[in-house]
Amino acid sequence: MRNTLLALRAGHVFDGTDVGRSGTVLVEDGVIRDVDLTGATPPEHATVRDFGPDAWLLPGLIDAHVHLCWDAGRDAVAHVASDDRDTVLDTARDAAATMLRAGVTTVRDLGDRDFLTLDLRERVPAERRPDIVAAGPPITTRGGHCHFLGGAAEGAAELLAAVRQRAERGCEVVKVMAAGGNMTPGSDALHQQYGLADLRLIVDEAHRLGLRAAAHVHAADTIGDVIEAGFDTIEHFSFFTAEGIALRQELLDEVVRRGIFVSLTVGALPGMVPPSPTAAARIGGLPDLVAKVVASGARVVPGTDAGIEPAKPHDILPQALIQLTEYGMPAIDVLRSATSVAAEAVGRSGRKGVLRAGADADVLVLGDSPLADMSAVTDILAVYRAGRRVR
Ligand SMILES: [Zn+2]
């Protein structure tokens, strides 16, 4: 219904930055009109939804790294590479609905096939999907990591054309496979796919056109070039070497100094099967690395890689938040990382990730305190997307 004033009330409010008590979020036309933390009575004509003294109001969560077109099955790569467009679009539609039910109201899709997330954004109404910041197919080398998504480009002319194509199509971010990956047959995570000059060219053109730039990188040897090229977010940041994981403190310090966002690949169901024995050997050192990155003061955001395999279903973000607390991140910082900080990382500052006048009314209502126990993020009483209740 239009022009109806909705008052969401709860005993506690996390507004994206800080915590307040006895809050009321006033919603009109899908947008937050006001947030009251004084306990004042809502306007008389408002429709009041009071979730009670134990409940928490939070901004809807943001997953900074997802794959809507991937079905989270054992053969996710084969399906996204070979299924017909309508089948992939159905997969993406289901994935989007699953995320919304988990309280994930904004996602940054960092690898679709053939720009299908843009079709999804157009065809599916807002209340049935999260807000989508789309990269389209990642830019990669011929036969390189995730080449089957349709984003192969090499050499200055092709790279510039690839960035411009994404801007014209309505993407808001460019994703580049700076080095190889674990899931593509024939790709080696340690192999650098583009040199510094190419990476710079892509980032500069993206920024010139008002797009942000995200770099996929596991390889320790490639991270320095990614930092130097000026990427806004670094995905994975895993410091893989031939000998395992080896954090380079000077690179982490530089990321902190420059304020680059680190999109940490957290969130997985138990029993995750590594894609190869090499990957298995490498990822043994991941918990220690993640703990160090979290403690460094870097601007960390959770990017789950949801969709790529069975351990990463599309609604895995709440698990990622629980894992971040296990890695030593204070609960309040975990909440910030998946709301206001993530909004900044994905280019939605002020509109998403905050409960503040003027922001979109994407609201998550929990039954208990996530500060006391982060598993409360799975105790969902309601989800609102653009002011409409979707759960
Ligand atoms: Zn990914």
mmCIF file of all heavy atoms in Angstrom, residues 65 67 175 305, ligand 1:
data_model
loop_
_atom_site.group_PDB
_atom_site.id
_atom_site.type_symbol
_atom_site.label_atom_id
_atom_site.label_comp_id
_atom_site.label_asym_id
_atom_site.label_seq_id
_atom_site.Cartn_x
_atom_site.Cartn_y
_atom_site.Cartn_z
ATOM 1 N N HIS A 65 29.857 -10.617 -1.831
ATOM 2 C CA HIS A 65 30.404 -11.468 -2.902
ATOM 3 C C HIS A 65 29.527 -12.707 -3.055
ATOM 4 O O HIS A 65 29.647 -13.651 -2.280
ATOM 5 C CB HIS A 65 31.848 -11.859 -2.557
ATOM 6 C CG HIS A 65 32.561 -12.615 -3.636
ATOM 7 N ND1 HIS A 65 33.903 -12.456 -3.887
ATOM 8 C CD2 HIS A 65 32.136 -13.549 -4.539
ATOM 9 C CE1 HIS A 65 34.270 -13.250 -4.888
ATOM 10 N NE2 HIS A 65 33.214 -13.940 -5.294
ATOM 11 N N HIS A 67 27.167 -15.340 -6.036
ATOM 12 C CA HIS A 67 26.974 -15.785 -7.422
ATOM 13 C C HIS A 67 25.545 -16.299 -7.574
ATOM 14 O O HIS A 67 25.262 -17.457 -7.284
ATOM 15 C CB HIS A 67 27.989 -16.870 -7.780
ATOM 16 C CG HIS A 67 29.408 -16.393 -7.715
ATOM 17 N ND1 HIS A 67 29.960 -15.640 -8.727
ATOM 18 C CD2 HIS A 67 30.356 -16.509 -6.761
ATOM 19 C CE1 HIS A 67 31.219 -15.334 -8.401
ATOM 20 N NE2 HIS A 67 31.478 -15.837 -7.209
ATOM 21 N N LYS A 175 34.513 -6.787 -12.149
ATOM 22 C CA LYS A 175 35.257 -7.829 -11.422
ATOM 23 C C LYS A 175 36.344 -8.366 -12.337
ATOM 24 O O LYS A 175 36.063 -8.723 -13.485
ATOM 25 C CB LYS A 175 34.292 -8.947 -11.043
ATOM 26 C CG LYS A 175 34.940 -10.304 -10.708
ATOM 27 C CD LYS A 175 35.269 -10.427 -9.250
ATOM 28 C CE LYS A 175 35.746 -11.824 -8.850
ATOM 29 N NZ LYS A 175 34.753 -12.876 -8.905
ATOM 30 N N ASP A 305 30.873 -15.867 -1.342
ATOM 31 C CA ASP A 305 31.005 -16.703 -2.546
ATOM 32 C C ASP A 305 29.812 -17.656 -2.646
ATOM 33 O O ASP A 305 29.918 -18.748 -3.222
ATOM 34 C CB ASP A 305 32.320 -17.499 -2.544
ATOM 35 C CG ASP A 305 33.145 -17.246 -3.807
ATOM 36 O OD1 ASP A 305 32.571 -16.711 -4.779
ATOM 37 O OD2 ASP A 305 34.339 -17.574 -3.816
HETATM 38 ZN ZN ZN B 1 33.425 -15.616 -6.368
#
